[in-house]
Amino acid sequence: MVAAPKLATYADLLATPEDVKAEILGGELVTQPSALFEHSYAQSGVVDGLRGPFDRGRGGPGGWWIVVEVDVQFTDHDVVRPDVVGWRRERLPSPWGKRPIDVAPDWICEVLSPRGVRRDRVVKQELYARHGVPFYWLIDPVEALLEAFTLERGRWVLTGTYDRSAVARVPPFEAIELVVADLFMPEPPEAADD
């Protein structure tokens, strides 16, 4: 008889080195290398575009917490660290000193990386739907695309796909116009002819 594998818990995640991005998905401890420059640039672009109007209330309605890479626990065996995540403050009034946060987010944004596409598009997308996260964004920094999804009756509905030419009101942040190009690195200059 073979013993069932031990399912990872938050204690296992805390035992990983602090400089390693780790998550627990379906009881499996998953580690990732540090992000590529374009990944971090897109992550920062999202925060730059949303934190002022939605977290701080500058030029927008406020009322949100917008943060990067905090531990979110859905179950004992599902703990994620989204690239960017947000909660309406009435649902998470006092986040200070909490780790992990066990309140399902109101919005999650994942920036795709070459080794994590399946994880973000399939595993996490299904996990977030199962736990009622109402809004999910996927950002592809290579293709310079933003895909926005809304959860309707337990299923994701694509509400829009935006490229760098778009200036759009993207749920749940439709109170402002988001300049999508600001999420991505500038396009490289055309190669000079020899």
Side-chain angles (χ1 to χ4, degrees):
M1 178 180 283
V2 176
K6 178 183 174 278
L7 297 176
T9 66
Y10 196 65
D12 298 307
L13 193 141
L14 287 176
T16 61
E18 285 194 26
D19 62 339
V20 173
K21 182 174 179 179
E23 299 177 300
I24 301 169
L25 296 168
E28 179 184 353
L29 184 66
V30 178
T31 60
Q32 303 174 85
S34 63
L36 293 170
F37 189 89
E38 54 270 24
H39 181 284
S40 292
Y41 196 94
Q43 186 178 16
S44 298
V46 173
V47 173
D48 290 348
L50 299 179
R51 185 173 276 162
F54 291 95
D55 190 312
R56 307 229 189 263
R58 294 186 195 127
W64 284 78
W65 299 116
I66 306 288
V67 295
V68 298
E69 296 187 8
V70 297
D71 294 338
V72 177
Q73 183 168 0
F74 291 107
T75 71
D76 287 345
H77 306 294
D78 290 298
V79 183
V80 295
R81 191 173 292 164
D83 290 314
V84 190
V85 61
W87 288 267
R88 295 180 190 273
R89 290 188 184 189
E90 67 263 15
R91 293 193 55 251
L92 185 65
S94 181
W96 292 274
K98 291 185 179 186
R99 187 169 81 179
I101 295 176
D102 60 2
V103 175
D106 293 294
W107 164 79
I108 292 177
C109 175
E110 297 286 6
V111 179
L112 299 174
S113 57
R115 293 177 51 186
V117 172
R118 181 188 173 282
R119 183 173 48 249
D120 290 336
R121 285 197 176 280
V122 178
V123 177
K124 286 184 174 181
Q125 198 163 3
E126 192 278 327
L127 176 70
Y128 299 159
R130 189 169 3 115
H131 290 280
V133 175
F135 300 96
Y136 186 45
W137 289 8
L138 287 170
I139 293 180
D140 185 333
V142 174
E143 297 297 324
L145 291 174
L146 162 63
E147 293 174 279
F149 299 89
T150 302
L151 193 65
E152 294 182 10
R153 294 185 299 280
R155 301 182 69 98
W156 291 114
V157 174
L158 180 66
T159 55
T161 301
Y162 309 93
D163 66 10
R164 69 172 64 248
S165 68
V167 176
R169 294 183 182 272
V170 184
F173 303 111
E174 55 271 305
I176 65 159
E177 287 188 328
L178 182 67
V179 178
V180 177
D182 290 348
L183 305 179
F184 306 108
M185 293 178 60
E187 292 185 89
E190 296 296 320
D193 292 333
D194 291 328

